[in-house]
Amino acid sequence: MQTELRRIGVNINQIARAVNTAVMEGRVLDLELAYLDDLRAEIRAQLVELREAFEGNLAYWRPSDE
């Protein structure tokens, strides 16, 4: 799951770069770039939460040193 989310984030980043250089009818696509930045931020936040969940799960199953 984490790998798939990371790949989506990479793809969004590539799209944002492409859109940033694109011009549509003489104007830069600012709204689309803002949307992609928001989407990228959301995916990063989800990755952090997913990583924390995995770490918590691993910590739960780790044998104690007692």
Short mmCIF file of all heavy atoms in Angstrom, two decimals:
data_model
loop_
_atom_site.label_atom_id
_atom_site.label_comp_id
_atom_site.label_asym_id
_atom_site.label_seq_id
_atom_site.Cartn_x
_atom_site.Cartn_y
_atom_site.Cartn_z
N MET A 1 0.83 -1.19 0.00
CA MET A 1 0.00 0.00 0.00
C MET A 1 0.87 1.25 0.00
O MET A 1 0.60 2.18 -0.74
CB MET A 1 -0.92 -0.05 1.22
CG MET A 1 -1.77 1.15 1.36
SD MET A 1 -3.23 0.98 0.36
CE MET A 1 -4.34 1.99 1.22
N GLN A 2 1.90 1.24 0.83
CA GLN A 2 2.76 2.41 0.91
C GLN A 2 3.48 2.64 -0.41
O GLN A 2 3.61 3.77 -0.87
CB GLN A 2 3.78 2.22 2.04
CG GLN A 2 4.63 3.44 2.27
CD GLN A 2 5.52 3.29 3.50
OE1 GLN A 2 5.44 2.32 4.22
NE2 GLN A 2 6.38 4.26 3.72
N THR A 3 3.92 1.57 -1.05
CA THR A 3 4.60 1.70 -2.34
C THR A 3 3.68 2.29 -3.39
O THR A 3 4.08 3.16 -4.16
CB THR A 3 5.12 0.32 -2.80
OG1 THR A 3 5.98 -0.21 -1.79
CG2 THR A 3 5.86 0.42 -4.11
N GLU A 4 2.43 1.82 -3.41
CA GLU A 4 1.48 2.33 -4.38
C GLU A 4 1.20 3.81 -4.16
O GLU A 4 1.16 4.59 -5.11
CB GLU A 4 0.17 1.54 -4.32
CG GLU A 4 0.28 0.14 -4.87
CD GLU A 4 0.78 -0.87 -3.85
OE1 GLU A 4 1.04 -0.50 -2.68
OE2 GLU A 4 0.93 -2.04 -4.21
N LEU A 5 1.04 4.22 -2.89
CA LEU A 5 0.81 5.63 -2.60
C LEU A 5 2.01 6.48 -3.00
O LEU A 5 1.87 7.57 -3.53
CB LEU A 5 0.50 5.82 -1.12
CG LEU A 5 -0.89 5.41 -0.68
CD1 LEU A 5 -1.01 5.49 0.84
CD2 LEU A 5 -1.95 6.28 -1.33
N ARG A 6 3.20 5.95 -2.76
CA ARG A 6 4.41 6.68 -3.14
C ARG A 6 4.48 6.86 -4.65
O ARG A 6 4.82 7.92 -5.15
CB ARG A 6 5.65 5.96 -2.62
CG ARG A 6 6.94 6.74 -2.83
CD ARG A 6 8.13 6.05 -2.20
NE ARG A 6 7.93 5.65 -0.84
CZ ARG A 6 8.08 6.44 0.22
NH1 ARG A 6 8.40 7.69 0.05
NH2 ARG A 6 7.90 5.99 1.44
N ARG A 7 4.12 5.81 -5.40
CA ARG A 7 4.13 5.91 -6.87
C ARG A 7 3.10 6.92 -7.36
O ARG A 7 3.37 7.67 -8.30
CB ARG A 7 3.83 4.54 -7.48
CG ARG A 7 4.99 3.59 -7.38
CD ARG A 7 4.66 2.26 -8.01
NE ARG A 7 5.74 1.32 -7.79
CZ ARG A 7 5.61 0.02 -7.86
NH1 ARG A 7 4.45 -0.52 -8.17
NH2 ARG A 7 6.63 -0.76 -7.65
N ILE A 8 1.94 6.95 -6.71
CA ILE A 8 0.93 7.94 -7.08
C ILE A 8 1.49 9.34 -6.84
O ILE A 8 1.33 10.23 -7.67
CB ILE A 8 -0.37 7.72 -6.28
CG1 ILE A 8 -1.05 6.43 -6.75
CG2 ILE A 8 -1.32 8.91 -6.44
CD1 ILE A 8 -2.19 5.99 -5.85
N GLY A 9 2.15 9.53 -5.70
CA GLY A 9 2.75 10.83 -5.40
C GLY A 9 3.79 11.23 -6.43
O GLY A 9 3.85 12.39 -6.84
N VAL A 10 4.61 10.28 -6.84
CA VAL A 10 5.62 10.57 -7.86
C VAL A 10 4.95 10.96 -9.17
O VAL A 10 5.36 11.92 -9.83
CB VAL A 10 6.56 9.35 -8.06
CG1 VAL A 10 7.42 9.50 -9.30
CG2 VAL A 10 7.43 9.15 -6.82
N ASN A 11 3.91 10.23 -9.54
CA ASN A 11 3.18 10.55 -10.77
C ASN A 11 2.56 11.94 -10.71
O ASN A 11 2.61 12.70 -11.67
CB ASN A 11 2.11 9.50 -11.06
CG ASN A 11 2.70 8.19 -11.51
OD1 ASN A 11 3.84 8.12 -11.94
ND2 ASN A 11 1.93 7.14 -11.37
N ILE A 12 1.98 12.27 -9.58
CA ILE A 12 1.38 13.60 -9.42
C ILE A 12 2.45 14.67 -9.53
O ILE A 12 2.24 15.72 -10.14
CB ILE A 12 0.62 13.70 -8.09
CG1 ILE A 12 -0.64 12.83 -8.18
CG2 ILE A 12 0.25 15.15 -7.77
CD1 ILE A 12 -1.37 12.70 -6.88
N ASN A 13 3.60 14.42 -8.94
CA ASN A 13 4.70 15.38 -9.03
C ASN A 13 5.12 15.58 -10.48
O ASN A 13 5.37 16.70 -10.92
CB ASN A 13 5.87 14.91 -8.18
CG ASN A 13 6.79 16.02 -7.79
OD1 ASN A 13 6.44 17.19 -7.85
ND2 ASN A 13 7.99 15.66 -7.37
N GLN A 14 5.20 14.51 -11.25
CA GLN A 14 5.56 14.61 -12.67
C GLN A 14 4.49 15.37 -13.45
O GLN A 14 4.81 16.20 -14.31
CB GLN A 14 5.75 13.22 -13.27
CG GLN A 14 6.98 12.52 -12.74
CD GLN A 14 7.06 11.07 -13.18
OE1 GLN A 14 6.09 10.48 -13.64
NE2 GLN A 14 8.24 10.48 -13.03
N ILE A 15 3.23 15.12 -13.12
CA ILE A 15 2.15 15.83 -13.78
C ILE A 15 2.23 17.32 -13.46
O ILE A 15 2.07 18.17 -14.34
CB ILE A 15 0.78 15.25 -13.36
CG1 ILE A 15 0.62 13.83 -13.92
CG2 ILE A 15 -0.36 16.14 -13.82
CD1 ILE A 15 -0.54 13.07 -13.31
N ALA A 16 2.49 17.63 -12.20
CA ALA A 16 2.59 19.04 -11.80
C ALA A 16 3.71 19.75 -12.55
O ALA A 16 3.54 20.89 -12.99
CB ALA A 16 2.81 19.14 -10.29
N ARG A 17 4.83 19.07 -12.72
CA ARG A 17 5.93 19.67 -13.49
C ARG A 17 5.53 19.92 -14.93
O ARG A 17 5.84 20.96 -15.51
CB ARG A 17 7.16 18.78 -13.42
CG ARG A 17 7.86 18.82 -12.10
CD ARG A 17 9.17 18.04 -12.15
NE ARG A 17 9.71 17.91 -10.82
CZ ARG A 17 10.12 16.78 -10.29
NH1 ARG A 17 10.06 15.67 -10.97
NH2 ARG A 17 10.60 16.75 -9.06
N ALA A 18 4.85 18.94 -15.52
CA ALA A 18 4.42 19.08 -16.91
C ALA A 18 3.40 20.20 -17.06
O ALA A 18 3.48 21.01 -17.99
CB ALA A 18 3.84 17.75 -17.42
N VAL A 19 2.46 20.26 -16.13
CA VAL A 19 1.43 21.30 -16.19
C VAL A 19 2.06 22.67 -15.97
O VAL A 19 1.66 23.66 -16.57
CB VAL A 19 0.32 21.03 -15.16
CG1 VAL A 19 -0.62 22.20 -15.02
CG2 VAL A 19 -0.47 19.78 -15.54
N ASN A 20 3.07 22.71 -15.11
CA ASN A 20 3.74 23.98 -14.81
C ASN A 20 4.38 24.58 -16.05
O ASN A 20 4.43 25.79 -16.20
CB ASN A 20 4.80 23.75 -13.73
CG ASN A 20 5.27 25.03 -13.12
OD1 ASN A 20 4.55 26.01 -13.08
ND2 ASN A 20 6.49 25.02 -12.61
N THR A 21 4.83 23.75 -16.96
CA THR A 21 5.44 24.25 -18.19
C THR A 21 4.44 24.42 -19.32
O THR A 21 4.76 25.00 -20.35
CB THR A 21 6.57 23.30 -18.65
OG1 THR A 21 6.02 22.01 -18.90
CG2 THR A 21 7.67 23.22 -17.61
N ALA A 22 3.24 23.90 -19.12
CA ALA A 22 2.21 23.97 -20.17
C ALA A 22 1.51 25.33 -20.15
O ALA A 22 1.40 25.98 -19.13
CB ALA A 22 1.18 22.86 -19.97
N VAL A 23 1.05 25.71 -21.28
CA VAL A 23 0.28 26.94 -21.40
C VAL A 23 -1.00 26.59 -22.15
O VAL A 23 -0.96 25.93 -23.20
CB VAL A 23 1.07 28.02 -22.16
CG1 VAL A 23 0.21 29.24 -22.40
CG2 VAL A 23 2.34 28.39 -21.41
N MET A 24 -2.12 27.01 -21.61
CA MET A 24 -3.39 26.73 -22.26
C MET A 24 -4.04 28.08 -22.58
O MET A 24 -4.32 28.86 -21.68
CB MET A 24 -4.31 25.92 -21.35
CG MET A 24 -5.69 25.66 -21.93
SD MET A 24 -6.73 24.78 -20.75
CE MET A 24 -6.66 23.16 -21.43
N GLU A 25 -4.23 28.32 -23.83
CA GLU A 25 -4.84 29.55 -24.30
C GLU A 25 -4.13 30.78 -23.73
O GLU A 25 -4.75 31.75 -23.32
CB GLU A 25 -6.33 29.58 -23.95
CG GLU A 25 -7.12 28.48 -24.63
CD GLU A 25 -8.58 28.48 -24.20
OE1 GLU A 25 -9.00 29.40 -23.49
OE2 GLU A 25 -9.28 27.54 -24.60
N GLY A 26 -2.81 30.70 -23.66
CA GLY A 26 -2.01 31.85 -23.25
C GLY A 26 -1.93 32.08 -21.75
O GLY A 26 -1.43 33.10 -21.31
N ARG A 27 -2.39 31.15 -20.93
CA ARG A 27 -2.28 31.35 -19.49
C ARG A 27 -1.78 30.08 -18.82
O ARG A 27 -2.05 28.98 -19.26
CB ARG A 27 -3.61 31.77 -18.88
CG ARG A 27 -4.70 30.74 -18.99
CD ARG A 27 -6.01 31.25 -18.39
NE ARG A 27 -7.04 30.25 -18.51
CZ ARG A 27 -7.32 29.35 -17.58
NH1 ARG A 27 -6.64 29.32 -16.47
NH2 ARG A 27 -8.28 28.47 -17.77
N VAL A 28 -1.05 30.25 -17.74
CA VAL A 28 -0.55 29.11 -16.96
C VAL A 28 -1.71 28.55 -16.15
O VAL A 28 -2.59 29.28 -15.70
CB VAL A 28 0.60 29.55 -16.04
CG1 VAL A 28 1.09 28.41 -15.19
CG2 VAL A 28 1.74 30.13 -16.85
N LEU A 29 -1.71 27.28 -15.96
CA LEU A 29 -2.83 26.61 -15.31
C LEU A 29 -2.67 26.64 -13.78
O LEU A 29 -2.46 25.63 -13.13
CB LEU A 29 -2.91 25.17 -15.82
CG LEU A 29 -2.96 25.03 -17.33
CD1 LEU A 29 -2.87 23.58 -17.74
CD2 LEU A 29 -4.22 25.66 -17.89
N ASP A 30 -2.82 27.82 -13.19
CA ASP A 30 -2.60 28.00 -11.76
C ASP A 30 -3.56 27.18 -10.90
O ASP A 30 -3.16 26.61 -9.88
CB ASP A 30 -2.71 29.48 -11.38
CG ASP A 30 -1.57 30.30 -11.95
OD1 ASP A 30 -0.47 29.75 -12.14
OD2 ASP A 30 -1.78 31.50 -12.21
N LEU A 31 -4.82 27.14 -11.28
CA LEU A 31 -5.79 26.38 -10.49
C LEU A 31 -5.46 24.89 -10.49
O LEU A 31 -5.56 24.24 -9.45
CB LEU A 31 -7.21 26.61 -11.01
CG LEU A 31 -7.78 28.00 -10.81
CD1 LEU A 31 -9.16 28.10 -11.47
CD2 LEU A 31 -7.89 28.32 -9.33
N GLU A 32 -5.07 24.40 -11.64
CA GLU A 32 -4.72 22.98 -11.72
C GLU A 32 -3.48 22.68 -10.90
O GLU A 32 -3.40 21.65 -10.24
CB GLU A 32 -4.52 22.56 -13.18
CG GLU A 32 -5.80 22.46 -13.98
CD GLU A 32 -6.33 23.80 -14.47
OE1 GLU A 32 -5.73 24.85 -14.17
OE2 GLU A 32 -7.36 23.81 -15.15
N LEU A 33 -2.50 23.58 -10.93
CA LEU A 33 -1.30 23.38 -10.13
C LEU A 33 -1.62 23.41 -8.64
O LEU A 33 -1.09 22.60 -7.87
CB LEU A 33 -0.27 24.47 -10.45
CG LEU A 33 0.45 24.32 -11.78
CD1 LEU A 33 1.33 25.54 -12.04
CD2 LEU A 33 1.28 23.06 -11.80
N ALA A 34 -2.49 24.30 -8.24
CA ALA A 34 -2.87 24.37 -6.83
C ALA A 34 -3.57 23.08 -6.41
O ALA A 34 -3.32 22.54 -5.32
CB ALA A 34 -3.77 25.58 -6.59
N TYR A 35 -4.43 22.57 -7.28
CA TYR A 35 -5.12 21.31 -6.98
C TYR A 35 -4.12 20.17 -6.84
O TYR A 35 -4.21 19.36 -5.92
CB TYR A 35 -6.14 20.99 -8.08
CG TYR A 35 -6.76 19.63 -7.93
CD1 TYR A 35 -7.70 19.37 -6.95
CD2 TYR A 35 -6.37 18.59 -8.77
CE1 TYR A 35 -8.25 18.11 -6.80
CE2 TYR A 35 -6.92 17.33 -8.63
CZ TYR A 35 -7.86 17.09 -7.64
OH TYR A 35 -8.39 15.84 -7.49
N LEU A 36 -3.17 20.09 -7.75
CA LEU A 36 -2.16 19.02 -7.69
C LEU A 36 -1.30 19.15 -6.44
O LEU A 36 -0.95 18.14 -5.82
CB LEU A 36 -1.29 19.04 -8.95
CG LEU A 36 -1.99 18.56 -10.22
CD1 LEU A 36 -1.09 18.79 -11.43
CD2 LEU A 36 -2.37 17.10 -10.11
N ASP A 37 -0.96 20.37 -6.05
CA ASP A 37 -0.19 20.56 -4.81
C ASP A 37 -0.99 20.09 -3.60
O ASP A 37 -0.44 19.45 -2.70
CB ASP A 37 0.21 22.03 -4.65
CG ASP A 37 1.39 22.41 -5.52
OD1 ASP A 37 2.15 21.51 -5.95
OD2 ASP A 37 1.56 23.61 -5.78
N ASP A 38 -2.29 20.40 -3.57
CA ASP A 38 -3.14 19.93 -2.48
C ASP A 38 -3.21 18.41 -2.45
O ASP A 38 -3.14 17.79 -1.39
CB ASP A 38 -4.54 20.51 -2.61
CG ASP A 38 -4.60 22.00 -2.35
OD1 ASP A 38 -3.63 22.55 -1.79
OD2 ASP A 38 -5.63 22.62 -2.71
N LEU A 39 -3.34 17.82 -3.63
CA LEU A 39 -3.41 16.37 -3.73
C LEU A 39 -2.11 15.73 -3.27
O LEU A 39 -2.11 14.74 -2.53
CB LEU A 39 -3.74 15.97 -5.17
CG LEU A 39 -4.07 14.52 -5.45
CD1 LEU A 39 -5.24 14.04 -4.61
CD2 LEU A 39 -4.39 14.35 -6.93
N ARG A 40 -0.99 16.30 -3.67
CA ARG A 40 0.31 15.78 -3.26
C ARG A 40 0.47 15.87 -1.74
O ARG A 40 0.94 14.93 -1.10
CB ARG A 40 1.43 16.54 -3.96
CG ARG A 40 2.81 16.00 -3.64
CD ARG A 40 3.89 16.69 -4.42
NE ARG A 40 3.80 18.13 -4.23
CZ ARG A 40 4.26 19.02 -5.08
NH1 ARG A 40 4.83 18.62 -6.19
NH2 ARG A 40 4.16 20.30 -4.84
N ALA A 41 0.05 16.98 -1.15
CA ALA A 41 0.13 17.14 0.30
C ALA A 41 -0.74 16.11 1.02
O ALA A 41 -0.33 15.55 2.05
CB ALA A 41 -0.28 18.56 0.69
N GLU A 42 -1.92 15.86 0.49
CA GLU A 42 -2.81 14.87 1.09
C GLU A 42 -2.20 13.47 1.02
O GLU A 42 -2.26 12.71 1.99
CB GLU A 42 -4.17 14.88 0.39
CG GLU A 42 -5.14 13.86 0.91
CD GLU A 42 -5.54 14.08 2.37
OE1 GLU A 42 -5.50 15.23 2.83
OE2 GLU A 42 -5.88 13.09 3.04
N ILE A 43 -1.60 13.13 -0.10
CA ILE A 43 -0.98 11.81 -0.23
C ILE A 43 0.20 11.68 0.73
O ILE A 43 0.37 10.64 1.38
CB ILE A 43 -0.55 11.55 -1.69
CG1 ILE A 43 -1.80 11.33 -2.54
CG2 ILE A 43 0.39 10.34 -1.79
CD1 ILE A 43 -1.53 11.21 -4.01
N ARG A 44 0.99 12.73 0.86
CA ARG A 44 2.10 12.69 1.82
C ARG A 44 1.59 12.50 3.24
O ARG A 44 2.16 11.73 4.02
CB ARG A 44 2.94 13.96 1.72
CG ARG A 44 3.82 13.96 0.51
CD ARG A 44 4.74 15.15 0.49
NE ARG A 44 5.58 15.06 -0.69
CZ ARG A 44 6.36 16.04 -1.10
NH1 ARG A 44 6.42 17.16 -0.43
NH2 ARG A 44 7.09 15.88 -2.18
N ALA A 45 0.51 13.18 3.60
CA ALA A 45 -0.07 13.02 4.94
C ALA A 45 -0.55 11.58 5.15
O ALA A 45 -0.36 11.00 6.23
CB ALA A 45 -1.21 14.01 5.13
N GLN A 46 -1.16 11.00 4.11
CA GLN A 46 -1.63 9.63 4.22
C GLN A 46 -0.45 8.66 4.36
O GLN A 46 -0.54 7.66 5.09
CB GLN A 46 -2.48 9.26 2.99
CG GLN A 46 -3.78 10.01 2.89
CD GLN A 46 -4.71 9.75 4.05
OE1 GLN A 46 -4.82 8.62 4.52
NE2 GLN A 46 -5.38 10.77 4.51
N LEU A 47 0.64 8.94 3.67
CA LEU A 47 1.83 8.10 3.80
C LEU A 47 2.38 8.13 5.22
O LEU A 47 2.79 7.11 5.76
CB LEU A 47 2.92 8.54 2.81
CG LEU A 47 2.79 8.03 1.39
CD1 LEU A 47 3.81 8.71 0.49
CD2 LEU A 47 2.98 6.52 1.35
N VAL A 48 2.40 9.31 5.82
CA VAL A 48 2.87 9.44 7.20
C VAL A 48 1.99 8.61 8.13
O VAL A 48 2.49 7.87 8.98
CB VAL A 48 2.90 10.92 7.63
CG1 VAL A 48 3.10 11.06 9.13
CG2 VAL A 48 4.00 11.67 6.89
N GLU A 49 0.68 8.73 7.98
CA GLU A 49 -0.24 7.97 8.82
C GLU A 49 -0.09 6.47 8.60
O GLU A 49 -0.13 5.69 9.55
CB GLU A 49 -1.67 8.41 8.56
CG GLU A 49 -1.96 9.80 9.08
CD GLU A 49 -3.41 10.21 8.89
OE1 GLU A 49 -4.29 9.32 8.79
OE2 GLU A 49 -3.66 11.42 8.84
N LEU A 50 0.08 6.06 7.37
CA LEU A 50 0.27 4.65 7.06
C LEU A 50 1.56 4.12 7.69
O LEU A 50 1.58 3.05 8.29
CB LEU A 50 0.29 4.45 5.54
CG LEU A 50 0.37 3.02 5.04
CD1 LEU A 50 -0.84 2.22 5.50
CD2 LEU A 50 0.46 3.02 3.52
N ARG A 51 2.63 4.90 7.58
CA ARG A 51 3.91 4.51 8.17
C ARG A 51 3.77 4.38 9.69
O ARG A 51 4.27 3.42 10.29
CB ARG A 51 4.99 5.53 7.82
CG ARG A 51 6.38 5.11 8.22
CD ARG A 51 7.45 6.08 7.73
NE ARG A 51 7.42 6.21 6.29
CZ ARG A 51 7.19 7.36 5.63
NH1 ARG A 51 7.01 8.47 6.28
NH2 ARG A 51 7.18 7.39 4.31
N GLU A 52 3.08 5.32 10.34
CA GLU A 52 2.87 5.25 11.78
C GLU A 52 2.06 4.03 12.16
O GLU A 52 2.33 3.39 13.19
CB GLU A 52 2.20 6.53 12.27
CG GLU A 52 3.10 7.74 12.23
CD GLU A 52 2.37 9.05 12.53
OE1 GLU A 52 1.12 9.03 12.69
OE2 GLU A 52 3.06 10.08 12.60
N ALA A 53 1.07 3.69 11.36
CA ALA A 53 0.27 2.50 11.62
C ALA A 53 1.11 1.24 11.52
O ALA A 53 1.01 0.35 12.36
CB ALA A 53 -0.92 2.44 10.66
N PHE A 54 1.94 1.15 10.50
CA PHE A 54 2.83 -0.01 10.35
C PHE A 54 3.80 -0.11 11.53
O PHE A 54 4.02 -1.18 12.07
CB PHE A 54 3.61 0.06 9.05
CG PHE A 54 2.81 -0.32 7.83
CD1 PHE A 54 3.01 0.36 6.64
CD2 PHE A 54 1.89 -1.34 7.85
CE1 PHE A 54 2.28 0.03 5.51
CE2 PHE A 54 1.16 -1.68 6.73
CZ PHE A 54 1.35 -0.99 5.55
N GLU A 55 4.37 1.02 11.91
CA GLU A 55 5.31 1.01 13.03
C GLU A 55 4.62 0.61 14.32
O GLU A 55 5.17 -0.14 15.13
CB GLU A 55 5.98 2.38 13.17
CG GLU A 55 6.96 2.66 12.06
CD GLU A 55 7.48 4.10 12.07
OE1 GLU A 55 7.08 4.89 12.95
OE2 GLU A 55 8.29 4.42 11.19
N GLY A 56 3.40 1.09 14.53
CA GLY A 56 2.64 0.70 15.72
C GLY A 56 2.32 -0.78 15.71
O GLY A 56 2.40 -1.45 16.75
N ASN A 57 1.97 -1.32 14.56
CA ASN A 57 1.68 -2.74 14.43
C ASN A 57 2.93 -3.57 14.72
O ASN A 57 2.87 -4.57 15.44
CB ASN A 57 1.13 -3.04 13.04
CG ASN A 57 0.57 -4.45 12.94
OD1 ASN A 57 0.05 -4.99 13.90
ND2 ASN A 57 0.70 -5.04 11.77
N LEU A 58 4.05 -3.16 14.17
CA LEU A 58 5.30 -3.88 14.41
C LEU A 58 5.69 -3.82 15.88
O LEU A 58 6.15 -4.81 16.46
CB LEU A 58 6.43 -3.32 13.54
CG LEU A 58 6.32 -3.60 12.05
CD1 LEU A 58 7.40 -2.84 11.28
CD2 LEU A 58 6.42 -5.09 11.77
N ALA A 59 5.51 -2.65 16.50
CA ALA A 59 5.85 -2.51 17.91
C ALA A 59 4.97 -3.42 18.77
O ALA A 59 5.44 -4.00 19.76
CB ALA A 59 5.69 -1.05 18.34
N TYR A 60 3.72 -3.56 18.40
CA TYR A 60 2.81 -4.42 19.15
C TYR A 60 3.28 -5.87 19.13
O TYR A 60 3.21 -6.58 20.13
CB TYR A 60 1.40 -4.30 18.57
CG TYR A 60 0.40 -5.23 19.22
CD1 TYR A 60 -0.19 -4.87 20.43
CD2 TYR A 60 0.07 -6.45 18.64
CE1 TYR A 60 -1.10 -5.71 21.04
CE2 TYR A 60 -0.84 -7.30 19.25
CZ TYR A 60 -1.43 -6.93 20.44
OH TYR A 60 -2.33 -7.78 21.04
N TRP A 61 3.74 -6.34 17.98
CA TRP A 61 4.11 -7.74 17.82
C TRP A 61 5.56 -8.04 18.19
O TRP A 61 5.94 -9.20 18.26
CB TRP A 61 3.84 -8.20 16.39
CG TRP A 61 2.38 -8.25 16.10
CD1 TRP A 61 1.67 -7.36 15.37
CD2 TRP A 61 1.44 -9.21 16.59
NE1 TRP A 61 0.33 -7.71 15.36
CE2 TRP A 61 0.17 -8.84 16.09
CE3 TRP A 61 1.55 -10.34 17.38
CZ2 TRP A 61 -0.97 -9.58 16.38
CZ3 TRP A 61 0.40 -11.07 17.67
CH2 TRP A 61 -0.83 -10.68 17.16
N ARG A 62 6.35 -7.00 18.42
CA ARG A 62 7.74 -7.20 18.81
C ARG A 62 7.80 -7.84 20.20
O ARG A 62 7.12 -7.40 21.11
CB ARG A 62 8.46 -5.84 18.84
CG ARG A 62 9.78 -5.86 18.17
CD ARG A 62 10.42 -4.49 18.14
NE ARG A 62 10.28 -3.95 16.80
CZ ARG A 62 9.83 -2.76 16.48
NH1 ARG A 62 9.48 -1.90 17.41
NH2 ARG A 62 9.74 -2.36 15.23
N PRO A 63 8.64 -8.86 20.37
CA PRO A 63 8.74 -9.47 21.71
C PRO A 63 9.38 -8.48 22.69
O PRO A 63 10.27 -7.72 22.34
CB PRO A 63 9.63 -10.70 21.50
CG PRO A 63 10.30 -10.51 20.18
CD PRO A 63 9.48 -9.51 19.40
N SER A 64 8.88 -8.51 23.91
CA SER A 64 9.45 -7.63 24.92
C SER A 64 10.75 -8.24 25.44
O SER A 64 10.97 -9.44 25.36
CB SER A 64 8.46 -7.42 26.06
OG SER A 64 8.21 -8.65 26.69
N ASP A 65 11.58 -7.39 25.98
CA ASP A 65 12.88 -7.86 26.49
C ASP A 65 12.80 -8.32 27.92
O ASP A 65 13.81 -8.59 28.55
CB ASP A 65 13.92 -6.73 26.38
CG ASP A 65 14.25 -6.41 24.94
OD1 ASP A 65 14.09 -7.29 24.08
OD2 ASP A 65 14.66 -5.26 24.66
N GLU A 66 11.60 -8.43 28.45
CA GLU A 66 11.43 -8.82 29.84
C GLU A 66 11.59 -10.30 30.04
O GLU A 66 11.29 -11.14 29.30
CB GLU A 66 10.08 -8.37 30.36
CG GLU A 66 9.92 -6.89 30.29
CD GLU A 66 8.54 -6.42 30.75
OE1 GLU A 66 7.62 -7.25 30.86
OE2 GLU A 66 8.42 -5.23 30.99
#
